[in-house]
C-alpha cells in the first residue's frame, strides 16, 4: 500500500523483524513544547495501513539496526555500535572499533550477524585499484588478549586524522596502547556540553587522563593554569629528531602561555577575513573605524558579511579568536570592560539578530556579493594552497587578508587546528605519551593531513607541490605545445562556490605563496573556545544587541560575571 510521509522528513528503516517505519527528527521553537524535540521512530501500522504512535529515541540515535532478544534495536554513534533496551531505557556500547584496532575512516559498511558476530567492509583508496577487506569480529575471553599498559586519551569528538594514528600506534606498540575516552558520547539533546562537564568533574575528583586531544572545544588554558598540563617545549628540545626549528614556529608561539607550550597542534589553518583591494586599500590590520570607512565606499545597504552571520555567532567567533587577550587564566583576570571588547560589540551590532531560512531573498555567494558591492568581507579558513588559489581567482586577483578589526592594531587573524595534543602532569608514563605525540610529527603522517602540516619540511613539500605546474605531454614524454608554441598546463582539478562558475586550479604563484606566508608570519593568536565564558557573554550582550543596554553597561556586566567565573575555577 501507499502511505503519505510528507510530514516526516526521515529515512525508512526497520526497528526489528516485525516493525518498519521512519527515523524522524521533531523540532519546535515553542518553549512550552521543547521537551518534544528529538529523534523519533514513527512506525507503520500494517493493519490500519497508517502511521502508528511515534516512539522517542535516546540521544545520538541517527541510524538503527534491527533488534533481537537482547536489545530492542542497535544503533551506530561516533563510530561505535550500541544496543538499546527500551524497558529499562538503557544503552550499552557493544562494539568499540578503535578498541578493536579497526580504523573506521576506511570502513564503507558493517552489519550485526545473527550469531553475535559483527562484519565490516574496509576500503583502501590509497591503492590502485582500490582494495577491500572483510573484517569479522567475534567474542573472545579477555584472558586471550595480550595485556598492555594503557594510556588514556580524553577528547570531545575524536579527530579522524588522529584516529588512524591511534590505530597504527596500538597495532605496532608491544608495550603500550592508547585507550580513547570520547566524552562527546555523554552529550544529550538537553545538554550538548554534558560530556565536557563529566570530564571536568572527573578531573576535579582526581581521575585525570594521561593525554588530552583538544579540537578547540576544551578549556586547555584553564587546565594549564591549574597545573594539570605538562610544558611540551622540554620534550621537543630533548627530542633527537624534532627540534623547534623543524616545526612551524608561529602557530606554536601563539599557543604559548608565559613561554610554556601546553598543547601541540598536529596541523593548522588561519581564520581570517579577506576583502577586495580596491575597497580595503592597503590595510593589513584595521580598527572598527577603518572598517566603517571601507564600508562607506560601498553602495547604501551594503553589509560587512553575508546575511547568514548573526550578531551572536560573529561575537562568539571574535571572542574565541582573541581569547588570550581577554582572559588571563594564569593570573585569574579578564579584560572585557575595555575599549577593545566594546569595539567588538559595536562591530557585530549591525549584523542580523537572526537569519530566517524561509527568506525569499535569492542566494548569492560571498564572492558575487563582494564583486557587486553588496558585501565588504569574506570570513575564511586559510588551510591549504588550493583554497588560496581559488580565492585569488574568484576575486579577480584583487584581495587583501585584512582579518577582523582589532583596536590595538595587531593582526585580526587567528590560528586554528583540527586537534592539539596535551600530556597531563598526572600521566603514568610521560616518555611514552611523548612517543605517541611525536609519532604524529612523522613525515609520512604529516604529508597526508588536511590543513597545513605543523612539520616544516612537510609544509615546504606541500607548498613546493602546489607551486609546481604540470604540462601536457605526448606518448614519448615530450611537452605538447599550443598554437603559440607554449606548453599546455594541466589543471589539478576544479572548484566552485555557490553560484560562482567552476574555476580550474593550476600552480600557486609566488604572489599567492607570499600572501599565505605574510598571514602566517603576522598572526599571533590561536582560537580558544571556553563555552562557559561564551555563554556568559552571549547572555549579557543580548541586552546591548537588542537596544536595552548601553555598550558600557553590557561590557561591565560581562566583566563582572566572567571575573567571578574565573575566580571560581581557580
Amino acid at each position: 500500500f501507499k502511505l503519505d510521509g510528507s510530514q516526516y522528513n526521515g529515512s525508512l528503516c526497520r526497528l526489528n523483524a516485525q516493525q518498519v517505519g521512519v527515523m524522524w527528527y521533531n523540532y519546535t521553537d515553542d518553549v512550552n513544547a521543547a521537551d518534544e524535540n528529538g529523534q523519533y521512530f514513527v512506525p507503520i501500522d500494517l493493519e490500519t495501513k497508517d502511521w502508528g504512535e511515534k516512539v522517542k529515541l535516546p540521544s545520538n540515535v541517527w541510524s538503527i539496526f534491527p533488534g533481537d532478544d537482547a536489545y530492542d534495536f542497535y544503533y551506530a554513534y561516533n563510530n561505535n555500535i550500541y544496543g538499546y533496551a527500551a524497558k529499562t531505557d538503557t544503552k550499552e556500547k557493544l562494539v568499540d572499533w578503535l578498541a578493536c584496532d579497526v580504523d573506521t575512516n576506511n570502513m564503507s559498511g558493517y552489519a550485526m550477524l545473527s550469531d553475535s558476530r559483527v562484519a565490516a567492509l574496509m576500503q583502501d583508496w590509497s591503492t590502485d585499484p582500490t582494495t577491500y577487506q572483510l573484517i569479522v569480529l567475534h567474542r573472545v575471553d579477555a584472558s586471550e588478549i595480550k595485556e598492555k599498559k594503557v594510556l588514556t586519551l580524553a577528547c570531545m569528538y575524536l579527530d579522524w586524522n588522529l584516529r588512524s594514528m591511534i590505530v597504527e600506534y596500538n597495532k605496532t606498540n608491544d608495550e603500550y596502547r592508547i585507550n580513547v575516552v570520547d566524552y562527546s558520547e555523554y552529550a544529550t539533546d538537553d545538554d550538548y556540553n554534558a560530556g565536557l562537564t563529566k570530564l571536568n568533574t572527573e578531573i576535579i575528583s582526581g581521575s585525570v587522563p594521561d593525554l588530552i586531544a583538544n579540537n578547540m572545544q576544551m578549556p586547555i588554558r584553564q587546565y594549564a593554569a591549574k597545573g594539570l598540563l605538562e610544558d611540551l617545549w622540554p620534550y621537543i628540545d630533548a627530542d633527537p629528531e624534532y627540534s623547534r626549528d623543524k616545526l612551524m614556529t608561529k602557530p606554536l608561539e601563539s599557543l604559548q602561555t608565559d613561554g610554556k607550550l601546553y598543547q601541540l597542534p598536529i596541523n593548522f589553518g588561519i581564520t581570517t577575513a579577506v576583502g577586495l583591494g580596491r575597497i580595503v586599500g592597503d590595510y593589513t590590520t584595521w580598527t572598527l573605524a577603518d572598517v566603517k570607512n571601507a564600508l562607506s565606499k560601498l553602495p547604501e545597504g551594503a553589509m560587512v558579511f553575508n546575511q547568514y552571520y548573526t550578531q551572536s555567532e560573529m561575537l562568539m567567533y571574535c571572542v574565541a579568536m582573541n581569547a588570550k587577550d581577554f582572559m588571563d587564566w594564569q593570573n585569574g583576570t579578564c579584560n572585557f570592560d575595555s575599549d577593545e571588547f566594546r569595539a567588538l560589540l559595536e562591530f557585530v551590532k549591525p549584523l542580523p539578530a537572526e537569519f530566517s531560512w524561509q527568506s525569499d531573498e535569492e542566494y548569492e555567494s560571498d564572492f558575487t556579493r563582494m564583486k557587486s558591492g553588496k558585501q565588504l568581507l569574506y570570513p575564511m579558513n586559510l588551510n591549504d594552497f588550493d583554497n588560496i588559489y581559488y580565492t585569488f581567482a574568484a576575486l579577480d586577483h584583487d584581495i587583501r587578508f585584512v582579518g577582523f578589526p582589532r583596536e590595538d592594531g595587531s593582526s585580526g587573524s587567528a590560528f586554528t587546528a583540527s586537534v592539539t595534543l596535551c600530556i597531563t602532569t598526572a600521566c603514568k608514563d610521560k616518555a611514552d605519551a611523548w612517543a605517541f605525540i611525536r609519532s604524529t610529527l612523522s613525515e609520512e603522517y604529516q604529508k597526508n593531513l588536511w590543513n597545513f602540516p605543523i612539520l616544516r619540511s612537510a609544509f615546504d613539500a606541500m607548498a613546493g607541490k602546489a607551486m609546481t605546474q604540470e604540462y601536457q605531454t605526448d606518448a614519448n614524454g615530450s611537452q605538447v605545445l599550443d598554437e603559440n608554441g607554449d606548453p599546455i598546463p594541466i589543471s589539478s582539478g576544479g572548484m566552485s562556490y555557490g553560484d560562482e562558475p567552476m574555476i580550474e586550479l593550476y600552480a600557486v604563484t609566488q604572489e599567492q605563496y607570499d600572501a599565505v606566508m605574510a598571514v602566517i608570519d603576522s598572526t599571533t593568536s590561536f582560537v580558544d573556545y571556553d563555552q562557559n565564558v561564551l555563554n556568559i557573554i552571549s547572555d549579557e550582550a543580548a541586552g546591548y544587541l537588542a537596544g536595552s543596554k548601553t555598550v558600557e553597561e553590557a561590557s561591565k556586566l560581562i566583566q563582572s560575571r566572567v571575573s567571578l567565573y574565573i575566580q571560581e575555577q581557580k
Side-chain angles (χ1 to χ4, degrees), residues 69-247:
D69 293 341
Y71 298 96
D72 291 281
F73 61 85
Y74 298 93
Y75 68 95
Y77 174 67
N78 214 7
N79 293 300
N80 297 310
I81 300 177
Y82 294 77
Y84 178 72
K87 186 175 182 179
T88 56
D89 189 25
T90 56
K91 60 183 179 181
E92 182 180 0
K93 184 191 293 187
L94 303 175
V95 178
D96 185 332
W97 293 108
L98 197 60
C100 298
D101 296 338
V102 176
D103 184 0
T104 53
N105 293 338
N106 298 323
M107 187 180 293
S108 58
Y110 53 85
M112 308 292 292
L113 305 183
S114 58
D115 57 0
S116 298
R117 293 182 302 163
V118 183
L121 183 64
M122 311 300 291
Q123 191 171 7
D124 188 350
W125 292 274
S126 65
T127 61
D128 188 17
T130 300
T131 55
Y132 297 85
Q133 182 182 31
L134 184 65
I135 291 178
V136 180
L137 300 183
H138 59 95
R139 295 181 183 275
V140 297
D141 192 275
S143 62
E144 298 180 35
I145 306 298
K146 180 181 178 181
E147 189 172 346
K148 294 182 181 180
K149 298 175 183 177
V150 173
L151 293 176
T152 300
L153 181 145
C155 66
M156 288 285 291
Y157 300 102
L158 183 63
D159 174 75
W160 74 277
N161 281 314
L162 193 60
R163 179 183 299 277
S164 298
M165 178 53 70
I166 291 172
V167 169
E168 183 64 23
Y169 183 86
N170 287 343
K171 283 182 176 180
T172 56
N173 193 305
D174 291 331
E175 186 177 0
Y176 278 91
R177 69 176 290 110
I178 304 295
N179 177 46
V180 175
V181 181
D182 189 340
Y183 284 84
S184 68
E185 295 177 7
Y186 299 100
T188 67
D189 292 334
D190 299 323
D191 187 1
Y192 178 78
N193 294 303
L196 185 56
T197 301
K198 179 176 174 60
L199 171 60
N200 290 335
T201 301
E202 290 180 1
I203 288 175
I204 291 172
S205 66
S207 180
V208 183
D210 301 292
L211 294 139
I212 294 176
N214 174 37
N215 63 346
M216 306 299 107
Q217 295 188 45
M218 304 171 80
I220 297 299
R221 294 188 191 276
Q222 187 183 138
Y223 294 161
K226 293 180 178 181
L228 295 173
L229 302 179
E230 288 281 304
D231 177 13
L232 298 181
W233 279 133
Y235 294 86
I236 294 172
D237 294 338
D239 195 279
E241 187 174 356
Y242 300 113
S243 57
R244 299 189 190 205
D245 61 351
K246 292 189 177 180
L247 303 175

Side-chain angles (χ1 to χ4, degrees), residues 222-274:
Q222 187 183 138
Y223 294 161
K226 293 180 178 181
L228 295 173
L229 302 179
E230 288 281 304
D231 177 13
L232 298 181
W233 279 133
Y235 294 86
I236 294 172
D237 294 338
D239 195 279
E241 187 174 356
Y242 300 113
S243 57
R244 299 189 190 205
D245 61 351
K246 292 189 177 180
L247 303 175
M248 299 295 288
T249 53
K250 291 297 293 186
L252 301 185
E253 289 171 355
S254 72
L255 272 172
Q256 290 183 130
T257 301
D258 296 335
K260 296 183 178 181
L261 182 69
Y262 295 108
Q263 49 184 327
L264 180 71
I266 66 172
N267 54 17
F268 72 97
I270 308 104
T271 293
T272 187
V274 62

Side-chain angles (χ1 to χ4, degrees), residues 6 23 39 81 96 227 233 238 241 285 297 314-315 342 347 354 388 402 409 445 462 464 468 475 489-490 509 560 569:
S6 57
M23 295 277 287
Q39 189 84 334
I81 300 177
D96 185 332
W233 279 133
E241 187 174 356
T285 64
K297 298 178 184 180
M314 185 54 65
L315 180 59
R342 284 189 281 271
F347 174 62
E354 59 183 22
I388 187 68
V402 289
Y445 181 70
M462 174 188 278
T468 301
I490 299 174
T509 66
S560 176
Q569 304 308 306

